[in-house]
């Protein structure tokens, strides 16, 4: 597979502990970008798979525990950082239609992913009677475009569909 195009489409490495690289690769890529906090790993992987050969396997190497303090509690920051990491890859697209399409798919992926997090919170706020918070969430959700708004009615509260 084309790992670079696939990484542009989405971060297919579920957790930082599921990837390894040689020290020379880490030093050559200059490590993690200190400007990024939530998706620093994604930015790092994009730079690695663009410059170096990559091998993958389907074996389980780590377990990932989700909790209430994870990245889903900061979807706006996650979206900003992911789009920043993707934009940094634009010079490498060089008119290649496959990479350009992968890049566009990546933008849609991150908007849909963060939209799902925000939509879940909007539904919870609405159901718990926190209508002001739900409306503010809808404004945040609008930044994700249609990809962000689509999840609302799918599993939403009847009041949000009206």
């Amino acid at each position: 597979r084309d790992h670079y195009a696939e990484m542009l489409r989405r971060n297919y490495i579920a957790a930082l502990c599921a990837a390894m690289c040689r020290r020379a690769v880490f030093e050559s890529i200059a490590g993690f970008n200190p400007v990024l906090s939530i998706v620093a790993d994604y930015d790092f992987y994009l730079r690695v798979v663009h410059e170096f050969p990559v091998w993958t396997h389907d074996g389980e190497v780590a377990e990932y525990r989700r909790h209430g303090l994870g990245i889903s509690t900061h979807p706006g920051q996650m979206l900003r950082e992911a789009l920043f990491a993707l934009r940094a890859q634009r010079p490498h697209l060089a008119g290649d239609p496959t990479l350009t399409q992968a890049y566009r798919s990546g933008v849609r992926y991150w908007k849909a992913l963060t939209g799902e997090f925000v939509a879940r919170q909007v539904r919870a706020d609405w159901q718990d009677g926190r209508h002001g918070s739900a409306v503010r969430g809808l404004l945040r959700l609008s930044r994700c475009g249609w990809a962000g708004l689509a999840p609302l009615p799918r599993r939403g509260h009847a009041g949000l569909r009206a």
Side-chain angles (χ1 to χ4, degrees):
R1 311 196 301 190
D2 183 351
H3 290 281
Y4 182 60
E6 190 61 28
M7 190 59 72
L8 285 170
R9 285 184 194 95
R10 63 182 180 85
N11 184 359
Y12 64 83
I13 302 173
L16 189 58
C17 61
M20 293 185 348
C21 70
R22 296 181 186 275
R23 182 181 183 139
V25 169
F26 189 82
E27 291 170 350
S28 174
I29 297 298
F32 294 101
N33 185 338
V35 172
L36 305 173
S37 59
I38 293 180
V39 299
D41 59 335
Y42 179 58
D43 173 70
F44 176 76
Y45 300 145
L46 280 167
R47 291 181 285 130
V48 168
V49 299
H50 180 260
E51 296 292 327
F52 295 94
V54 175
W55 291 270
T56 62
H57 62 84
D58 292 328
E60 185 175 308
V61 295
E63 290 185 14
Y64 183 78
R65 183 177 68 95
R66 294 177 189 250
H67 53 83
L69 299 176
I71 61 170
S72 63
T73 61
H74 304 287
Q77 182 181 354
M78 181 171 61
L79 179 60
R80 280 189 304 278
E81 289 186 13
L83 295 180
F84 176 87
L86 276 171
R87 275 190 222 97
Q89 298 304 307
R90 281 185 188 164
H92 304 301
L93 305 180
D96 182 319
T98 301
L99 294 179
T100 300
Q101 180 56 34
Y103 173 88
R104 290 179 182 148
S105 293
V107 170
R108 286 190 304 273
Y109 164 80
W110 286 102
K111 286 183 176 185
L113 179 65
T114 56
E116 183 67 37
F117 291 137
V118 175
R120 195 176 307 135
Q121 186 61 51
V122 166
R123 284 192 298 272
D125 286 346
W126 188 266
Q127 289 169 346
D128 292 343
R130 294 187 305 265
H131 298 134
S133 181
V135 169
R136 285 188 297 279
L138 286 172
L139 293 173
R140 283 192 307 276
L141 198 55
S142 69
R143 293 184 197 128
C144 297
W146 289 111
L149 296 175
L152 273 177
R154 186 171 42 212
R155 286 185 235 115
H157 184 267
L160 290 175
R161 287 187 229 158

